[in-house]
Amino acid sequence: MSELGGRLLAFVPTRRAAIVLFAVALAVFWLQALGWPMAKGRDTWDYLVYYLQFLDGDPPLSQVQLFRTPLTPLVVGLPMAIGGTALLEIVFGVLFAVGVVAWSATALVFGRVPALASAVLLLVYPAWATLYHQASSDAVFATGLAVWALVLARTLRWPSTRGFVALGLGIAILVLIRPANQVLLPAVFVPLLAAAPWRRRLTWVAACLAAAVLPLAGWAVHNGIRYDDATVARGGRAWVPFLKVWLDDRTVAPENGAQSRRLADLIQRHVLTEEPFASLHVPLDAYLANGSNYETVRLIALSDRYLGREDDYEAIFGSAIEAIEAHPRTYFSGVADVFWQFLMQAPIREGIAPRAQTEPAPPPPTYTRDGVVLPNPAATVLVPAVPYGFVWCASDYIDSCTLEDSSVVWKDARTQQRYREVVSQVRAWDAELPSRSGQHWVTEILDRITPRFPRPPLWIAVGVVALLWRRPRGWPTIVVLWGAAAAVLGIHAASQGVAPEFALPLYPLFIVTALAALAGDRGPARRSSA
């Protein structure tokens, strides 16, 4: 038995082992796909819209191009355009296999036992795998993070200028996948942890910084030229921390400060005096107490129109800061609670089957909350927000989120026609997600595994204790990865409610770092040529 184990560990670091692991991961993905066919994920419609408008000089849904970054739309949209759902599923299967191999290779930097254990655990971890069966940014980010972690681990183990340039470029790529990943930019100072003279470390910091910043600056220039807004992605100040304060804490109020009064004035002038709010006589306090993603995008659109794009959502952002200052305990306890819940996700996916695109019956036009009658977001197309894509949409039925008469937004006939073309194509692709029904027996098996799989708090506890006890070779890499995970989870906890997709891409990180700390090689690393 020991001889067999020795042969297996000797096989782990070979190229052949990586190929075998890649093939096994593909087989696992397609087994999962029997129960989980490729389906619509978070913001899928917006990613498809972005792709379709990618080459448009004057796109009708113009703000989608500024609020999103290009890599996820290309990964989702290009396969759909070439081969439909079938090709998209193949692409995401490859992403899954790359993710498994990359995390195992990251663990291999610490030792063969962590690499083997990481591979086995990720292959049987359905919660993480769910990301790869939904057309969204989550799987793209999960794979990008795995490859970036591999670059980080190898470069800190064997420092080189080329490695740190790749590390910085990886940060830029992660930002272009998902704008919130800008919180990873401080990782450009990772070269300071390398074993090298200070002059060389500072040179590597400069190289890493340039590799991260230059592509993002280039993209900002691109947006400035095409859309008159030199930004990597617009809207960060409108979401962080406003969404959390308004939707969860419910503490936005005009008495909080000057910007809060400014926002209240905007609402009273341009929301509550307009239909459907005017005829319902909705008071300001009821509106503020019943925020939604739908209304958030309304406020973003109103801010751009009446306060100016150059205001950069100062009223929205400022009102959130003032609400936090007025109710700090409410906000920070809420953030801590969401952060903890991010670490406790064990999502169960229900059976997957083709979806209807039209709601069986129209939703009620109003609903009642605390004695106040409010307009139902699912019953009305938010006309001012149409150029911002579908992020505001309160319905899973695309026809409920599109204009029958596009002239109410655009006077130009050519733009109206382009809007109809984009929506028609998105509707056709949406009908393919999913294109088949999942096998119930596969779904049942996968959903039985998920609740029994150890969650991140256990992996983190094991990793911390093992790190302090053993101090494995390359331990600074583990600390950096924990810091990156904390930053990503923190920015989402500060601005969002609990959604598994924000946390699941990071779960393999906790598994790999725990195994690296527990079973990683000890002793000084060999001197590298760098």
Side-chain angles (χ1 to χ4, degrees):
M1 194 70 178
S2 60
E3 183 180 350
L4 178 62
R7 288 182 179 179
L8 183 59
L9 290 178
F11 178 66
V12 166
T14 64
R15 184 173 297 179
R16 186 179 173 188
I19 295 172
V20 170
L21 178 58
F22 185 87
V24 172
L26 283 179
V28 168
F29 173 86
W30 286 109
L31 175 63
Q32 296 165 348
L34 292 176
W36 296 332
M38 180 60 65
K40 175 179 174 289
R42 287 189 320 106
D43 301 331
T44 301
W45 296 339
D46 277 353
Y47 294 126
L48 295 175
V49 165
Y50 189 114
Y51 170 78
L52 290 169
Q53 297 185 143
F54 194 72
L55 299 179
D56 287 6
D58 188 18
L61 301 166
S62 56
Q63 299 308 301
V64 177
Q65 312 302 106
L66 285 170
F67 277 71
R68 306 282 178 180
T69 42
L71 293 187
T72 294
L74 290 174
V75 173
V76 174
L78 188 59
M80 287 294 289
I82 296 174
T85 308
L87 181 57
L88 182 67
E89 200 161 22
I90 291 171
V91 169
F92 273 55
V94 171
L95 291 178
F96 174 76
V98 169
V100 172
V101 173
W103 279 120
S104 181
T106 301
L108 182 60
V109 175
F110 298 92
R112 299 179 184 188
V113 172
L116 179 60
S118 296
V120 172
L121 287 170
L122 292 180
L123 288 172
V124 297
Y125 190 20
W128 177 62
T130 59
L131 300 175
Y132 291 89
H133 299 277
Q134 303 175 70
S136 188
S137 67
D138 307 304
V140 185
F141 170 53
T143 302
L145 180 66
V147 175
W148 183 76
L150 173 59
V151 173
L152 170 69
R154 290 182 62 86
T155 303
L156 278 181
R157 177 75 179 275
W158 300 287
S160 68
T161 302
R162 182 171 60 180
F164 286 117
V165 167
L167 187 69
L169 183 60
I171 296 172
I173 289 172
L174 290 175
V175 172
L176 294 176
I177 290 172
R178 184 183 282 177
N181 290 328
Q182 291 175 80
V183 296
L184 296 176
L185 282 170
V188 298
F189 295 104
V190 161
L192 297 177
L193 301 175
W198 273 102
R199 177 177 293 181
R200 179 162 292 185
R201 292 189 221 181
L202 294 174
T203 301
W204 286 337
V205 168
C208 189
L209 178 63
V213 171
L214 289 179
L216 298 180
W219 187 251
V221 170
H222 162 273
N223 284 338
I225 294 172
R226 291 189 66 183
Y227 308 115
D228 196 29
D229 199 334
T231 179
V232 173
R234 188 169 172 80
R237 283 163 54 89
W239 301 111
V240 185
F242 181 77
L243 208 60
K244 175 77 172 60
V245 171
W246 195 29
L247 272 56
D248 289 353
D249 300 347
R250 311 288 183 181
T251 53
V252 175
E255 61 267 21
N256 289 339
Q259 292 300 335
S260 300
R261 288 190 292 274
R262 190 168 174 234
L263 179 64
D265 182 67
L266 183 72
I267 294 168
Q268 287 179 318
R269 286 173 176 267
H270 303 293
V271 178
L272 302 182
T273 58
E274 303 289 338
E275 294 299 339
F277 292 93
S279 59
L280 296 174
H281 306 289
V282 177
L284 176 63
D285 59 346
Y287 179 86
L288 293 175
N290 292 277
S292 64
N293 199 55
Y294 181 97
E295 293 301 327
T296 303
V297 183
R298 183 198 298 273
L299 295 181
I300 289 172
L302 291 177
S303 177
D304 283 342
R305 180 176 180 181
Y306 293 105
L307 303 182
R309 288 159 62 95
E310 65 280 357
D311 186 70
D312 196 20
Y313 311 116
E314 182 61 29
I316 296 174
F317 177 76
S319 67
I321 298 301
E322 290 169 354
I324 294 170
E325 292 173 344
H327 306 275
R329 187 169 183 175
T330 300
Y331 177 73
F332 289 108
S333 64
V335 169
D337 181 61
V338 171
F339 194 97
W340 174 252
Q341 291 185 57
F342 276 152
L343 298 176
M344 296 298 292
Q345 297 298 294
I348 303 296
R349 292 200 69 184
E350 299 177 355
I352 307 298
R355 301 175 299 112
Q357 287 186 286
T358 303
E359 197 164 10
T366 62
Y367 70 100
T368 302
R369 181 75 57 81
D370 297 327
V372 178
V373 180
L374 297 157
N376 183 1
T380 309
V381 174
L382 185 54
V383 174
V386 168
Y388 294 77
F390 293 96
V391 66
W392 54 269
C393 190
S395 170
D396 196 40
Y397 302 94
I398 191 169
D399 286 340
S400 302
C401 310
T402 56
L403 294 168
E404 292 185 8
D405 180 10
S406 54
S407 66
V408 300
V409 176
W410 301 282
K411 302 306 178 186
D412 178 61
R414 188 173 182 179
T415 307
Q416 296 173 25
Q417 176 61 27
R418 182 57 181 151
Y419 171 77
R420 290 191 291 269
E421 292 172 354
V422 169
V423 168
S424 176
Q425 184 60 73
V426 172
R427 183 185 292 110
W429 283 341
D430 180 61
E432 297 183 40
L433 294 166
S435 59
R436 64 183 190 276
S437 297
Q439 298 293 318
H440 176 72
W441 64 272
V442 177
T443 305
E444 185 176 358
I445 292 173
L446 295 173
D447 285 344
R448 285 182 179 180
I449 296 172
T450 294
R452 295 168 172 81
F453 203 90
R455 300 181 198 180
L458 175 62
W459 296 113
I460 294 170
V462 169
V464 170
V465 171
L467 191 69
L468 296 174
W469 171 46
R470 298 186 68 249
R471 194 68 64 87
R473 185 171 61 208
W475 64 267
T477 299
I478 297 174
V479 176
V480 171
L481 287 173
W482 284 344
V488 173
L489 290 179
I491 194 65
H492 287 105
S495 60
Q496 305 279 348
V498 178
E501 293 83 2
F502 292 134
L504 289 176
L506 297 157
Y507 278 24
L509 183 153
F510 300 120
I511 295 172
V512 169
T513 52
L515 293 171
L518 185 63
D521 298 335
R522 301 175 71 183
R526 288 183 298 175
R527 202 174 185 84
S528 73
S529 59

